[in-house]
């Protein structure tokens, strides 16, 4: 089962869970169903959607949340860098640069 939390920030700058869902698989259709259910319950699209790099989720978000901005989570990107780069030293250099920019 895939756990999909809907978390946001309230007027007091506090993290709030608006909802959550459990999916059997990570298909575009499953994500579309969950996002449409969220939209039906809340009657409003989120301004920003922050996710990992799941292509099925990306496709579902662009179809259902047409007014939302979709961005990728930097934490997930940085966690995947070692598998993408053959040279570990280059990864460490990029990690250091990222930390100094944050």
């Amino acid at each position: 089962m895939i756990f999909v939390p809907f978390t946001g920030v309230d007027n007091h700058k506090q993290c709030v869970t608006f909802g959550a869902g459990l999916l059997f698989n990570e298909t575009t259709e499953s994500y579309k169903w969950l996002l449409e259910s969220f939209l039906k319950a809340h009657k409003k699209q989120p301004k920003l959607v922050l996710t990992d790099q799941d292509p099925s989720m990306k496709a579902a978000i662009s179809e259902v949340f047409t007014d939302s901005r979709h961005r990728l989570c930097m934490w997930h990107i940085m966690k995947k860098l070692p598998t993408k780069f053959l040279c570990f030293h280059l990864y460490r250099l990029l990690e250091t640069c990222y930390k100094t920019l944050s």
Side-chain angles (χ1 to χ4, degrees), residues 2 23-33 54 56-57 60:
I2 295 92
L23 297 177
F24 181 71
N25 55 28
E26 294 183 279
T27 63
T28 302
E29 289 75 28
S30 294
Y31 284 121
K32 279 178 59 177
W33 171 82
D54 188 301
S56 301
M57 192 182 305

Side-chain angles (χ1 to χ4, degrees), residues 15-16 21 31-32 38 67 72 75 86 94:
C15 289
V16 177
Y31 284 121
K32 279 178 59 177
F38 177 85
D67 297 334
L72 299 176
W75 182 85
L86 296 175
L94 288 172

Side-chain angles (χ1 to χ4, degrees), residues 78 81-82 85 87-96:
M78 294 304 287
L81 270 179
F85 286 104
C87 178
F88 184 73
H89 297 292
L90 180 58
Y91 166 72
R92 286 291 182 202
L93 177 65
L94 288 172
E95 183 179 46
T96 304

Side-chain angles (χ1 to χ4, degrees), residues 41-56:
H42 290 275
K43 311 278 191 258
K44 186 176 175 183
Q45 293 186 20
K47 293 179 183 179
L48 176 73
V49 179
L50 190 65
T51 67
D52 64 359
Q53 298 169 312
D54 188 301
S56 301

